[in-house]
Amino acid sequence: MTTTNGSNEAIPTLQLLDPRGRRVTTRGTKGYRDRAAALTTEDLRGMYRDMVLTRRFDDEATSLQRQGELALFAPARGQEAAQVGSAYALRPQDFVFPSYREHGVLQVRGLDPVDRLRFFRGSDHGGWDPNERNTNVYTIVIGAHTLHAAGYAMGVQRDNTPHDKHDGTAVITYFGDGATSQGDVNEAMVFAAVNEAPVVFFLQNNQWAISEPTIRQTRTPLYRRGEAFGMPSLRVDGNDVLAVYAATQEAMERARLGQGPSFIEAFTYRMGAHTTSDDPTRYRTSEQEEMWRQRDPIDRLGALLRAEDALDDEFEAEIKAAGDELGAKLRTGVRALDGGAPVSTFDDVYATPHGVVAAERAWYEAYDAGDPPAPQYAIADSAQGGAR
């Protein structure tokens, strides 16, 4: 498969499943096809289930925001194959650094759906313990988490983690096309490349950095950014869950074997708004949106399953029931979330006790209790052993 950018340049794009749900046997893709062929029928059914539930999560969260129960939400509609397919290629010991839209990745990693919305509710700065599922909390600062991922991967190296494609540890970080313009992302790739760190940079190119199309962000295909840093780089059809899975599995295995970082561009489309504060009708045409609806990743995998007699009314009813249960849990659970104790802001700032943070916490506790606090700067200075 080839796609084009704004200059109509042909861009080779890995595709194993076409928009009608038919397996593709393009020359030169046998290695990837073999990886996809190793997926069992139950694996494919599981992918389909997780994609459908991810979309249901999206719909419920959007509704909760419209009802005033969430401050904001970033939908992932249309990107389910890129997220679920890549997450299926991960192993439990691998560590994930998401941005703020990877709801499908969190679905596969087993994160509680209510916890995924604590941040958007404003009741918590994160929402979950990253160490429980080896999945970091959402990051709003565009691209900042790629540096965290590169640093974590360098730490994996220094821990002398065994090099094994199954039992080794690798890191994956997700970001969007707009983030590729950020200095943090490029600096992360510098550190990862020169240190041969075990990290995969996974770009979800949904073609819109808020309201700016990709053709106004770059003059070259984005997967070439990875090549510029000396990484194996590949563009995949991001609405093809099989291609995404195979490409990610290969890259993660390479990282676990100690063969350095890789770059994957999943070419997909954001079918909804950037966030619930956005109105995409101001910068996109309905014709373009309809064209991409016909490439829906869930419909594509569903067509394959039906053709292979793996999707029937009973299974679809089971998924719908699971979706209804998910929706009810979100509506009840999110509304029950409180704002949390404000003093928890000072928790987990540093891994070890820190004098300045302790002093600021004491100042806040005194302020919250109604005691006249001393000037904050004086407390901070005294904690550092100095004065103004």
Side-chain angles (χ1 to χ4, degrees):
M1 174 190 176
T2 59
T3 55
T4 60
N5 63 5
S7 63
N8 292 322
E9 176 186 1
I11 307 171
T13 304
L14 176 65
Q15 184 184 81
L16 303 181
L17 194 64
D18 74 13
R20 295 175 62 182
R22 301 173 300 189
R23 293 183 185 265
V24 178
T25 57
T26 308
R27 183 187 299 273
T29 63
K30 185 178 185 304
Y32 296 110
R33 284 187 276 124
D34 288 346
R35 290 178 181 276
L39 290 167
T40 66
T41 297
E42 285 310 306
D43 290 332
L44 297 177
R45 283 160 58 96
M47 286 178 166
Y48 182 79
R49 183 180 190 276
D50 283 330
M51 290 167 67
V52 173
L53 291 180
T54 296
R55 185 163 295 184
R56 180 61 182 266
F57 173 86
D58 252 37
D59 292 344
E60 292 289 343
T62 299
S63 294
L64 285 166
Q65 194 282 329
R66 297 306 190 209
Q67 295 164 21
E69 301 294 345
L70 301 178
L72 187 74
F73 183 66
R77 176 178 285 266
Q79 299 179 221
E80 294 90 354
Q83 297 183 8
V84 171
S86 60
Y88 264 71
L90 310 183
R91 300 186 71 81
Q93 72 271 16
D94 296 328
F95 211 100
V96 178
F97 286 84
S99 58
Y100 50 81
R101 198 187 302 276
E102 281 68 47
H103 316 311
V105 177
L106 270 56
Q107 166 71 24
V108 177
R109 295 297 275 185
L111 270 293
D112 184 277
V114 176
D115 286 346
R116 300 179 221 163
L117 294 179
R118 289 178 183 273
F119 179 83
F120 294 105
R121 172 80 164 178
S123 64
D124 195 282
H125 288 285
W128 60 87
D129 180 351
N131 293 313
E132 288 184 0
R133 302 280 181 173
N134 282 357
T135 303
N136 198 41
V137 296
Y138 278 153
T139 302
I140 294 295
V141 179
I142 305 299
H145 60 294
T146 60
L147 284 168
H148 308 158
Y152 191 97
M154 291 166 63
V156 168
Q157 283 180 317
R158 285 150 181 77
D159 287 341
N160 295 316
T161 303
H163 291 163
D164 182 275
K165 71 177 184 178
H166 297 300
D167 297 328
T169 297
V171 177
I172 187 168
T173 181
Y174 294 85
F175 52 100
D177 45 288
T180 62
S181 298
Q182 293 287 346
D184 283 358
V185 175
N186 293 275
E187 291 162 11
M189 289 195 285
V190 168
F191 274 94
V194 299
N195 287 280
E196 297 185 330
V199 57
V200 174
F201 293 89
F202 193 97
L203 161 63
Q204 292 183 83
N205 179 359
N206 66 23
Q207 305 182 55
W208 293 96
I210 305 183
S211 58
E212 281 293 284
T214 307
I215 58 174
R216 294 187 63 180
Q217 302 173 55
T218 179
R219 295 293 299 273
T220 59
L222 287 173
Y223 78 94
R224 290 187 178 171
R225 297 286 177 94
E227 292 178 348
F229 292 95
M231 301 179 197
S233 302
L234 178 69
R235 176 188 256 208
V236 303
D237 181 344
N239 285 14
D240 172 359
V241 71
L242 302 187
V244 171
Y245 167 81
T248 309
Q249 185 189 61
E250 178 191 58
M252 294 297 285
E253 286 182 0
R254 190 161 49 231
R256 295 189 204 107
L257 286 168
Q259 296 174 0
S262 301
F263 189 102
I264 296 172
E265 176 190 355
F267 188 71
T268 182
Y269 189 79
R270 168 167 56 79
M271 292 169 64
H274 174 72
T275 69
T276 47
S277 65
D278 173 42
D279 178 8
T281 63
R282 298 177 62 183
Y283 54 84
R284 295 196 315 210
T285 66
S286 57
E287 291 79 12
Q288 183 188 55
E289 292 178 351
E290 180 57 32
M291 180 187 74
W292 280 94
R293 284 192 189 96
Q294 294 172 13
R295 303 179 183 184
D296 189 298
I298 296 177
D299 292 345
R300 188 181 304 199
L301 180 56
L304 173 70
L305 290 174
R306 290 188 190 91
E308 298 183 354
D309 295 324
L311 183 60
D312 53 28
D313 292 344
E314 182 180 356
F315 184 52
E316 293 209 88
E318 177 190 325
I319 295 174
K320 184 181 183 305
D324 291 343
E325 182 180 349
L326 170 63
K329 179 175 182 177
L330 284 174
R331 292 190 295 272
T332 302
V334 167
R335 290 181 176 122
L337 294 174
D338 59 25
V343 74
S344 66
T345 298
F346 300 97
D347 296 342
D348 305 317
V349 177
Y350 287 91
T352 56
H354 192 284
V356 172
V357 175
E360 290 177 343
R361 182 185 187 116
W363 180 92
Y364 178 80
E365 288 175 335
Y367 172 84
D368 195 44
D371 296 331
Q376 186 176 3
Y377 69 83
I379 294 176
D381 282 343
S382 65
Q384 298 179 63
R388 290 182 183 269

Short mmCIF file of all heavy atoms in Angstrom, two decimals, residues 204-238:
data_model
loop_
_atom_site.label_atom_id
_atom_site.label_comp_id
_atom_site.label_asym_id
_atom_site.label_seq_id
_atom_site.Cartn_x
_atom_site.Cartn_y
_atom_site.Cartn_z
N GLN A 204 1.14 8.37 16.46
CA GLN A 204 -0.20 8.24 15.89
C GLN A 204 -0.47 9.50 15.06
O GLN A 204 -0.81 10.55 15.61
CB GLN A 204 -1.25 8.11 16.99
CG GLN A 204 -1.17 6.80 17.76
CD GLN A 204 -2.26 6.71 18.79
OE1 GLN A 204 -3.38 6.33 18.49
NE2 GLN A 204 -1.94 7.06 20.02
N ASN A 205 -0.26 9.39 13.78
CA ASN A 205 -0.48 10.52 12.89
C ASN A 205 -1.96 10.55 12.52
O ASN A 205 -2.39 9.91 11.56
CB ASN A 205 0.41 10.40 11.64
CG ASN A 205 0.20 11.56 10.68
OD1 ASN A 205 -0.60 12.45 10.91
ND2 ASN A 205 0.94 11.54 9.59
N ASN A 206 -2.74 11.30 13.30
CA ASN A 206 -4.17 11.40 13.01
C ASN A 206 -4.49 12.58 12.10
O ASN A 206 -5.64 12.94 11.89
CB ASN A 206 -5.00 11.45 14.29
CG ASN A 206 -4.77 12.71 15.12
OD1 ASN A 206 -4.34 13.75 14.62
ND2 ASN A 206 -5.07 12.63 16.40
N GLN A 207 -3.42 13.18 11.56
CA GLN A 207 -3.47 14.20 10.50
C GLN A 207 -3.89 15.59 10.95
O GLN A 207 -3.92 16.52 10.14
CB GLN A 207 -4.37 13.74 9.35
CG GLN A 207 -3.96 12.39 8.77
CD GLN A 207 -4.82 11.97 7.62
OE1 GLN A 207 -4.97 12.70 6.65
NE2 GLN A 207 -5.41 10.79 7.73
N TRP A 208 -4.17 15.75 12.24
CA TRP A 208 -4.58 17.06 12.72
C TRP A 208 -3.96 17.36 14.09
O TRP A 208 -4.33 16.75 15.08
CB TRP A 208 -6.10 17.15 12.83
CG TRP A 208 -6.78 17.09 11.50
CD1 TRP A 208 -7.30 16.00 10.88
CD2 TRP A 208 -6.96 18.19 10.60
NE1 TRP A 208 -7.80 16.33 9.65
CE2 TRP A 208 -7.62 17.68 9.46
CE3 TRP A 208 -6.65 19.55 10.65
CZ2 TRP A 208 -7.96 18.49 8.37
CZ3 TRP A 208 -7.01 20.35 9.57
CH2 TRP A 208 -7.65 19.82 8.45
N ALA A 209 -3.02 18.28 14.13
CA ALA A 209 -2.51 18.79 15.40
C ALA A 209 -3.46 19.91 15.85
O ALA A 209 -3.29 21.07 15.49
CB ALA A 209 -1.10 19.31 15.24
N ILE A 210 -4.47 19.55 16.57
CA ILE A 210 -5.63 20.38 16.87
C ILE A 210 -6.28 20.79 15.54
O ILE A 210 -6.99 20.01 14.94
CB ILE A 210 -5.29 21.59 17.76
CG1 ILE A 210 -4.59 21.11 19.06
CG2 ILE A 210 -6.56 22.35 18.13
CD1 ILE A 210 -4.28 22.21 20.03
N SER A 211 -5.99 21.98 15.03
CA SER A 211 -6.63 22.40 13.79
C SER A 211 -5.66 22.55 12.62
O SER A 211 -6.05 23.02 11.55
CB SER A 211 -7.35 23.74 14.01
OG SER A 211 -6.44 24.73 14.47
N GLU A 212 -4.42 22.15 12.81
CA GLU A 212 -3.42 22.27 11.75
C GLU A 212 -3.22 20.92 11.05
O GLU A 212 -2.85 19.94 11.70
CB GLU A 212 -2.07 22.73 12.31
CG GLU A 212 -2.00 24.22 12.59
CD GLU A 212 -2.07 25.05 11.31
OE1 GLU A 212 -1.06 25.12 10.60
OE2 GLU A 212 -3.14 25.60 11.04
N PRO A 213 -3.45 20.83 9.74
CA PRO A 213 -3.23 19.57 9.04
C PRO A 213 -1.74 19.24 8.96
O PRO A 213 -0.88 20.12 9.05
CB PRO A 213 -3.81 19.83 7.65
CG PRO A 213 -3.66 21.30 7.46
CD PRO A 213 -3.88 21.91 8.82
N THR A 214 -1.44 17.97 8.79
CA THR A 214 -0.05 17.53 8.74
C THR A 214 0.74 18.23 7.65
O THR A 214 1.92 18.53 7.82
CB THR A 214 0.01 16.00 8.52
OG1 THR A 214 -0.82 15.37 9.50
CG2 THR A 214 1.42 15.48 8.67
N ILE A 215 0.10 18.51 6.52
CA ILE A 215 0.84 19.12 5.42
C ILE A 215 1.32 20.53 5.76
O ILE A 215 2.18 21.07 5.07
CB ILE A 215 0.00 19.15 4.12
CG1 ILE A 215 -1.32 19.93 4.34
CG2 ILE A 215 -0.29 17.74 3.63
CD1 ILE A 215 -2.12 20.13 3.07
N ARG A 216 0.79 21.12 6.83
CA ARG A 216 1.29 22.42 7.28
C ARG A 216 2.25 22.29 8.44
O ARG A 216 2.69 23.28 9.01
CB ARG A 216 0.11 23.32 7.67
CG ARG A 216 -0.78 23.68 6.48
CD ARG A 216 -1.84 24.70 6.85
NE ARG A 216 -1.24 25.96 7.27
CZ ARG A 216 -1.96 27.03 7.65
NH1 ARG A 216 -3.29 26.94 7.66
NH2 ARG A 216 -1.37 28.13 8.02
N GLN A 217 2.58 21.04 8.79
CA GLN A 217 3.53 20.79 9.87
C GLN A 217 4.86 20.27 9.35
O GLN A 217 5.88 20.40 10.03
CB GLN A 217 2.96 19.75 10.84
CG GLN A 217 1.63 20.13 11.47
CD GLN A 217 1.08 18.96 12.27
OE1 GLN A 217 1.74 18.43 13.16
NE2 GLN A 217 -0.14 18.54 11.95
N THR A 218 4.86 19.64 8.18
CA THR A 218 6.08 19.00 7.71
C THR A 218 6.08 18.93 6.19
O THR A 218 5.01 18.82 5.57
CB THR A 218 6.22 17.58 8.30
OG1 THR A 218 7.42 16.98 7.80
CG2 THR A 218 5.03 16.71 7.93
N ARG A 219 7.26 18.95 5.60
CA ARG A 219 7.39 18.82 4.16
C ARG A 219 7.76 17.40 3.75
O ARG A 219 7.81 17.07 2.56
CB ARG A 219 8.47 19.79 3.63
CG ARG A 219 8.11 21.25 3.81
CD ARG A 219 6.94 21.66 2.95
NE ARG A 219 7.22 21.48 1.54
CZ ARG A 219 7.82 22.41 0.78
NH1 ARG A 219 8.17 23.57 1.30
NH2 ARG A 219 8.04 22.18 -0.50
N THR A 220 8.06 16.56 4.73
CA THR A 220 8.45 15.17 4.45
C THR A 220 7.60 14.23 5.29
O THR A 220 7.07 14.63 6.34
CB THR A 220 9.94 14.92 4.77
OG1 THR A 220 10.17 15.21 6.16
CG2 THR A 220 10.84 15.80 3.92
N PRO A 221 7.44 12.98 4.87
CA PRO A 221 6.69 12.01 5.68
C PRO A 221 7.29 11.91 7.09
O PRO A 221 8.50 11.89 7.26
CB PRO A 221 6.86 10.71 4.90
CG PRO A 221 7.14 11.13 3.50
CD PRO A 221 7.93 12.40 3.61
N LEU A 222 6.44 11.83 8.07
CA LEU A 222 6.91 11.90 9.44
C LEU A 222 7.74 10.70 9.87
O LEU A 222 8.57 10.82 10.77
CB LEU A 222 5.71 12.09 10.39
CG LEU A 222 5.09 13.49 10.34
CD1 LEU A 222 3.81 13.53 11.17
CD2 LEU A 222 6.08 14.53 10.86
N TYR A 223 7.54 9.54 9.25
CA TYR A 223 8.34 8.39 9.67
C TYR A 223 9.82 8.62 9.40
O TYR A 223 10.70 8.01 10.02
CB TYR A 223 7.86 7.10 9.00
CG TYR A 223 8.29 6.91 7.57
CD1 TYR A 223 9.44 6.18 7.26
CD2 TYR A 223 7.55 7.46 6.52
CE1 TYR A 223 9.83 6.00 5.94
CE2 TYR A 223 7.93 7.28 5.21
CZ TYR A 223 9.08 6.55 4.91
OH TYR A 223 9.47 6.39 3.61
N ARG A 224 10.12 9.54 8.48
CA ARG A 224 11.52 9.83 8.17
C ARG A 224 12.23 10.57 9.30
O ARG A 224 13.46 10.65 9.31
CB ARG A 224 11.61 10.63 6.87
CG ARG A 224 11.24 9.81 5.65
CD ARG A 224 11.49 10.56 4.37
NE ARG A 224 11.19 9.75 3.21
CZ ARG A 224 11.16 10.22 1.97
NH1 ARG A 224 11.40 11.51 1.74
NH2 ARG A 224 10.88 9.43 0.95
N ARG A 225 11.46 11.10 10.23
CA ARG A 225 12.10 11.71 11.40
C ARG A 225 12.96 10.67 12.12
O ARG A 225 14.05 10.97 12.59
CB ARG A 225 11.04 12.28 12.35
CG ARG A 225 10.19 13.40 11.78
CD ARG A 225 10.95 14.70 11.68
NE ARG A 225 10.13 15.74 11.07
CZ ARG A 225 9.40 16.61 11.75
NH1 ARG A 225 9.37 16.56 13.07
NH2 ARG A 225 8.69 17.54 11.13
N GLY A 226 12.41 9.47 12.24
CA GLY A 226 13.18 8.42 12.90
C GLY A 226 14.44 8.07 12.14
O GLY A 226 15.51 7.86 12.73
N GLU A 227 14.33 8.01 10.82
CA GLU A 227 15.50 7.69 9.99
C GLU A 227 16.60 8.72 10.20
O GLU A 227 17.79 8.38 10.20
CB GLU A 227 15.10 7.66 8.52
CG GLU A 227 14.19 6.51 8.14
CD GLU A 227 13.78 6.55 6.67
OE1 GLU A 227 14.03 7.60 6.03
OE2 GLU A 227 13.22 5.55 6.19
N ALA A 228 16.22 9.97 10.36
CA ALA A 228 17.21 11.03 10.54
C ALA A 228 18.05 10.84 11.80
O ALA A 228 19.19 11.30 11.88
CB ALA A 228 16.53 12.39 10.57
N PHE A 229 17.46 10.13 12.79
CA PHE A 229 18.20 9.86 14.02
C PHE A 229 18.87 8.49 14.01
O PHE A 229 19.41 8.05 15.02
CB PHE A 229 17.26 9.98 15.22
CG PHE A 229 16.79 11.38 15.48
CD1 PHE A 229 15.58 11.82 14.96
CD2 PHE A 229 17.55 12.27 16.21
CE1 PHE A 229 15.14 13.12 15.18
CE2 PHE A 229 17.13 13.57 16.44
CZ PHE A 229 15.92 14.00 15.92
N GLY A 230 18.81 7.81 12.87
CA GLY A 230 19.46 6.51 12.75
C GLY A 230 18.65 5.35 13.26
O GLY A 230 19.20 4.29 13.58
N MET A 231 17.32 5.51 13.34
CA MET A 231 16.47 4.43 13.83
C MET A 231 15.79 3.71 12.67
O MET A 231 15.38 4.35 11.71
CB MET A 231 15.35 4.99 14.71
CG MET A 231 15.77 5.76 15.92
SD MET A 231 14.27 6.34 16.77
CE MET A 231 14.99 7.60 17.82
N PRO A 232 15.61 2.40 12.77
CA PRO A 232 14.70 1.72 11.83
C PRO A 232 13.32 2.36 11.94
O PRO A 232 12.79 2.53 13.03
CB PRO A 232 14.69 0.27 12.34
CG PRO A 232 15.94 0.12 13.14
CD PRO A 232 16.20 1.47 13.75
N SER A 233 12.75 2.74 10.81
CA SER A 233 11.50 3.50 10.82
C SER A 233 10.53 2.93 9.79
O SER A 233 10.95 2.48 8.72
CB SER A 233 11.77 4.97 10.52
OG SER A 233 12.66 5.52 11.47
N LEU A 234 9.25 2.98 10.11
CA LEU A 234 8.24 2.36 9.26
C LEU A 234 6.93 3.11 9.39
O LEU A 234 6.56 3.53 10.48
CB LEU A 234 8.04 0.90 9.70
CG LEU A 234 6.99 0.07 8.97
CD1 LEU A 234 7.42 -0.21 7.54
CD2 LEU A 234 6.75 -1.24 9.72
N ARG A 235 6.23 3.26 8.26
CA ARG A 235 4.87 3.79 8.29
C ARG A 235 3.91 2.62 8.09
O ARG A 235 4.10 1.81 7.19
CB ARG A 235 4.65 4.83 7.21
CG ARG A 235 3.20 5.33 7.17
CD ARG A 235 2.95 6.23 5.97
NE ARG A 235 2.88 7.62 6.38
CZ ARG A 235 2.16 8.55 5.74
NH1 ARG A 235 1.48 8.23 4.66
NH2 ARG A 235 2.15 9.78 6.17
N VAL A 236 2.89 2.55 8.93
CA VAL A 236 1.88 1.50 8.82
C VAL A 236 0.51 2.14 8.65
O VAL A 236 0.28 3.29 9.03
CB VAL A 236 1.87 0.56 10.05
CG1 VAL A 236 3.23 -0.06 10.26
CG2 VAL A 236 1.42 1.30 11.30
N ASP A 237 -0.40 1.39 8.09
CA ASP A 237 -1.80 1.79 8.02
C ASP A 237 -2.35 1.71 9.44
O ASP A 237 -2.57 0.62 9.98
CB ASP A 237 -2.57 0.85 7.08
CG ASP A 237 -4.04 1.23 6.94
OD1 ASP A 237 -4.54 1.99 7.78
OD2 ASP A 237 -4.68 0.73 6.00
N GLY A 238 -2.57 2.86 10.05
CA GLY A 238 -2.99 2.89 11.45
C GLY A 238 -4.40 2.42 11.69
O GLY A 238 -4.80 2.24 12.85
#
